[in-house]
């Protein structure tokens, strides 16, 4: 969208494990690789700060738009001088690390940093209603906005065609099973272990659970599935580039995270017409209406999750109704709608 309006766009990021989206190469977008770290205690962040500060002071960008807590802190500190010269600093908070029910350490560590850095922010963009209300009251950025996520291309998702049997074969799951699907990193926050436990309690060998993603919890999840006797029903797919086909091959999308901002994978699953069973947390409740598009459960409540899954698995009519409801609800989170809102924010700078 920015390129189409005649802008020059550059990107600064770490050299992460996932490949950079090829669109950056297609557009000729210049990339600056800095050693940003997710850990606030990493010395790499100091190096990244110095490198980024040198870049922004050399190039004098009109807008610097940052994402993720640590990188956004570094960026806003690095841009202190150039803001005095006219550079505007935008920050999209994809879910504050402090939220209702968050551990006290999250509030002690992240809240003061975000509150201080808000003073160095021209536009603070939030993507769920809980964060928006908190930011309006507590974060003194020059401007606070709500945008419903990063936007998803509904036409692209809903036009996907796939051979369900072939996709399931590539996943290593039976063609006629009831397939639960999750997409996301294999980390503690994504909370996949609660689904593995629920899978065991369902005691139904025709139900299988697949996760697409990489992460440090792989061995722990495999060991848990083995100890619970469901290893043959549990499938780790690794990093997949065909996520949109995976949704089409699944029956239920399960999203058990402890913390989210507004999940793209959850939105994609809704646009694919899947019923959802998700944790009752900020962001998820913005998307999925309990009892209409799926069911909510408390993240650690294995019994509640098990019952929700059983309610959907045992009622094929409900699967269709919930899938239809999600396809209607997700329209307000479309890429077109989000881009229209972002245009207004950029133009009003």
């Amino acid at each position: 969208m920015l390129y189409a309006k005649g802008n020059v766009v550059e990107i600064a990021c770490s050299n992460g494990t996932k490949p950079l989206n090829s669109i950056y190469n297609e557009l000729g977008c210049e990339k600056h690789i800095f050693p940003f770290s997710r850990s606030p205690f990493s010395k790499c962040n100091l190096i990244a700060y110095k490198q980024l500060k040198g870049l922004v002071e050399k190039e004098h960008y009109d807008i610097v738009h940052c994402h993720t807590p640590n990188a956004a802190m570094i960026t806003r500190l690095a841009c202190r001088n150039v803001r005095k010269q006219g550079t505007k600093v935008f920050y999209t908070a994809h879910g504050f690390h402090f939220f209702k029910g968050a551990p006290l350490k999250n509030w002690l560590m992240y809240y003061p940093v975000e509150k201080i850095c808000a003073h160095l922010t021209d536009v603070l963009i939030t993507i769920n209603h809980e964060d928006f209300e908190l930011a309006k009251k507590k974060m003194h950025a020059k401007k606070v906005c709500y945008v419903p996520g990063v936007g998803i291309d509904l036409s692209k998702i809903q036009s996907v065609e796939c051979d369900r049997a072939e996709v399931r074969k590539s996943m290593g799951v039976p063609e006629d099973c009831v397939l639960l699907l999750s997409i996301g990193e294999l980390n503690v926050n994504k909370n996949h272990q609660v689904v593995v436990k629920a899978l065991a309690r369902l005691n139904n060998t025709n139900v299988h659970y697949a996760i697409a993603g990489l992460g440090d919890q792989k061995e722990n999840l495999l060991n848990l599935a083995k100890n619970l006797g469901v290893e043959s029903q549990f499938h780790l797919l690794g990093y997949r580039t065909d996520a949109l086909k995976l949704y089409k091959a699944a029956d239920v999308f399960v999203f058990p995270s402890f913390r989210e901002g507004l999940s793209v994978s959850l939105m994609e699953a809704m646009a694919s017409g899947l019923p959802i069973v998700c944790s009752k947390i900020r962001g998820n409740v913005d998307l999925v209406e309990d009892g209409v598009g799926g069911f909510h459960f408390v993240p650690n409540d294995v019994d509640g999750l098990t019952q929700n899954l059983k309610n959907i698995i045992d009622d094929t009519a409900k699967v269709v109704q919930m899938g239809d409801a999600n396809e209607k609800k997700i329209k307000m989170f479309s890429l077109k709608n989000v881009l229209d809102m972002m245009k207004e924010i950029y133009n009003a700078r």
Side-chain angles (χ1 to χ4, degrees), residues 11-225:
I11 181 171
C13 62
S14 64
N15 190 16
T17 56
K18 295 180 181 178
L20 283 176
N21 193 318
S22 61
I23 192 173
Y24 300 130
N25 297 325
E26 293 171 11
L27 295 173
C29 178
E30 186 172 352
K31 298 182 287 291
H32 306 277
I33 305 300
F34 299 143
F36 294 110
S37 172
R38 288 189 176 186
S39 170
F41 307 109
S42 172
K43 293 180 181 179
C44 291
N45 289 325
L46 181 58
I47 299 172
Y49 165 77
K50 292 178 179 178
Q51 292 177 343
L52 181 61
K53 186 173 185 291
L55 177 67
V56 297
E57 291 183 354
K58 175 186 174 184
E59 298 295 337
H60 297 288
Y61 299 103
D62 295 299
I63 295 175
V64 176
H65 193 155
C66 53
H67 306 259
T68 77
N70 286 339
M73 175 190 69
I74 294 166
T75 302
R76 288 180 284 181
L77 291 173
C79 289
R80 284 176 296 174
N81 292 336
V82 294
R83 284 186 73 229
K84 299 173 184 177
Q85 300 165 15
T87 296
K88 302 295 183 182
V89 177
F90 290 16
Y91 168 42
T92 296
H94 294 265
F96 290 130
H97 277 24
F98 44 91
F99 51 92
K100 294 176 182 177
L104 178 60
K105 66 178 182 180
N106 285 35
W107 283 90
L108 294 175
M109 181 181 300
Y110 290 102
Y111 179 76
V113 172
E114 291 286 9
K115 193 169 181 66
I116 291 169
C117 287
H119 292 279
L120 306 175
T121 309
D122 295 288
V123 181
L124 171 55
I125 300 168
T126 57
I127 62 173
N128 62 67
H129 288 100
E130 182 180 316
D131 284 352
F132 179 57
E133 294 302 324
L134 186 150
K136 283 196 302 181
K137 295 177 182 177
K138 302 294 185 180
M139 302 294 157
H140 299 295
K142 283 192 173 181
K143 186 176 183 180
V144 177
C145 301
Y146 165 76
V147 175
V150 297
I152 58 171
D153 188 340
L154 296 180
S155 60
K156 178 182 178 181
I157 295 170
Q158 293 169 347
S159 65
V160 168
E161 295 182 2
C162 73
D163 185 322
R164 184 179 171 95
E166 281 299 314
V167 175
R168 287 195 167 205
K169 184 178 179 180
S170 77
M171 299 167 75
V173 303
E175 183 178 341
D176 60 349
C177 74
V178 176
L179 180 57
L180 314 177
L181 174 68
S182 293
I183 293 183
E185 289 186 58
L186 306 180
N187 60 33
V188 173
N189 175 61
K190 293 300 182 182
N191 192 30
H192 299 301
Q193 67 273 9
V194 74
V195 189
V196 178
K197 293 175 182 177
L199 180 66
R201 293 195 188 181
L202 282 171
N203 195 28
N204 184 340
T205 56
N206 192 46
V207 179
H208 285 243
Y209 178 42
I211 310 172
L214 302 171
D216 59 15
Q217 291 298 301
K218 177 179 178 179
E219 293 304 318
N220 289 340
L221 289 167
L222 289 173
N223 289 335
L224 177 62

